[in-house]
Amino acid sequence: MKPFTTRFAPSPTGRLHLGHAYSACLAHDTAQANGGVFLLRIEDIDQGRCRPEFEAGIVEDLTWLGLTWPLPVRRQSEHMAGYAAALDRLRQLGVVYRCFLTRREIMEQSMSAPHTLGEGPEGVIYRGPAQPMSHDEEDLRVARGDPFAWRLSIRYSQDLLGEEFARLVFVERQIGSNEEQIVTARPESLGDVIIARKDTPTSYHLSVVHDDALQGVTHIIRGEDLRASTHIHVLLQHLLGLPRPVYFHHPLLAGPDGKRFAKRDGAVTLAALRASGLSPADIRARIGLPA
Ligand code: GLU
């Protein structure tokens, strides 16, 4: 049996807050309790938003909390060739297509063709074009240098997989319980998600699935805000022939105002809490984890 391997995979787009501390410590403690491995992975494919000082802050904060992980840490921006190869595989399978629509155009389409859209956990759901773009038009737009995104087509995936598509499942478990639930994957609930872009051969969905397999991650412990994404990840794992980890989706911590911590709200950072005199044990007490 493969050793229990889990990871914490933050994006260095800001300083860590209590919600991150909870996710990281939970993954770390669960790995320890299972005699397993805890990995840190830096998800920095969005080079416009990620900054080296935030990556340094992540390492500093997690080290202060007492977490350890094997080196070197995988930094996604250094592995674009691997993601490009995975994208090529999806292209060979014929399950991705170039989409030249902007977000705004997709929104506008909702006026004329409401059946193509919906509101999903990741915002607007795009269900793909009524007709595929002609090769001539696609060639023209590529030659012209128009920006585009590669989207994973639910329809083409269903066509390729036939009945298997409806039988995709994953195992979900709760922390501290041995019970497991077999969940049927519903990738269609997210529509045709972006898998890569013209100048970046990957997106969150593709790189996370690629790396979890490459790094031998057997158990994924992450916030329940990513549960919807798991349905897409299961489809990608199947298409790419990758093993399927067991999933834990933990509740998101909320602050005293009842709102969950989020980087964009300027939630109190671990750095600020540390500066105010709190110890790692105080943090653990605040997030409800044993010392
Ligand atoms: N990088 C993702 C984030 O910062 C998390 C990835 C994952 O745990 O699957 O939200």
Side-chain angles (χ1 to χ4, degrees), residues 7-13 20 23 41-44 76 204 208-209 212 220-223 225-226 229-230 233 247 263:
R7 83 301 191 275
F8 178 57
S11 296
T13 55
H20 295 115
S23 207
R41 182 168 74 225
I42 299 295
E43 304 217 321
D44 60 348
Q76 289 190 326
Y204 160 64
V208 91
V209 159
D212 285 333
I220 293 186
I221 300 170
R222 63 184 177 194
D225 53 331
L226 290 170
S229 297
T230 300
H233 298 174
Y247 287 87
K263 278 182 203 163

Side-chain angles (χ1 to χ4, degrees), residues 105-265:
E105 285 165 337
I106 289 179
M107 292 299 287
E108 280 166 7
Q109 275 197 5
S110 67
M111 310 300 165
S112 50
H115 63 278
T116 60
L117 290 158
E119 196 63 38
E122 296 200 325
V124 176
I125 294 177
Y126 180 57
R127 298 202 190 281
Q131 298 289 334
M133 182 178 275
S134 73
H135 288 303
D136 285 350
E137 187 182 350
E138 188 173 344
D139 291 349
L140 185 88
R141 298 199 64 166
V142 170
R144 214 161 65 184
D146 289 359
F148 61 83
W150 287 102
R151 287 186 183 266
L152 175 64
S153 168
I154 294 293
R155 197 177 316 152
Y156 301 162
S157 302
Q158 277 168 329
D159 290 348
L160 179 73
L161 300 180
E163 286 177 8
E164 276 174 55
F165 183 94
R167 286 203 298 261
L168 293 172
V169 292
F170 62 94
V171 174
E172 190 167 21
R173 290 180 56 177
Q174 311 297 325
I175 300 287
S177 153
N178 282 329
E179 271 176 48
E180 54 182 45
Q181 214 192 334
I182 309 292
V183 182
T184 299
R186 299 260 175 250
E188 64 278 16
S189 59
L190 269 86
D192 291 359
V193 297
I194 294 178
I195 284 299
R197 292 181 191 276
K198 183 183 162 205
D199 300 314
T200 314
T202 190
S203 70
Y204 160 64
H205 297 298
L206 186 58
S207 48
V208 91
V209 159
H210 176 275
D211 285 0
D212 285 333
L214 189 83
Q215 297 189 285
V217 171
T218 56
H219 293 75
I220 293 186
I221 300 170
R222 63 184 177 194
E224 65 188 11
D225 53 331
L226 290 170
R227 180 183 272 118
S229 297
T230 300
H231 293 253
I232 289 291
H233 298 174
V234 167
L235 172 59
L236 280 171
Q237 285 153 359
H238 188 80
L239 290 167
L240 293 168
L242 304 175
R244 197 158 308 157
V246 172
Y247 287 87
F248 298 72
H249 298 106
H250 63 72
L252 299 181
L253 285 195
D257 58 358
K259 283 206 304 200
R260 59 155 100 135
F261 296 108
K263 278 182 203 163
R264 61 179 173 278
D265 302 335

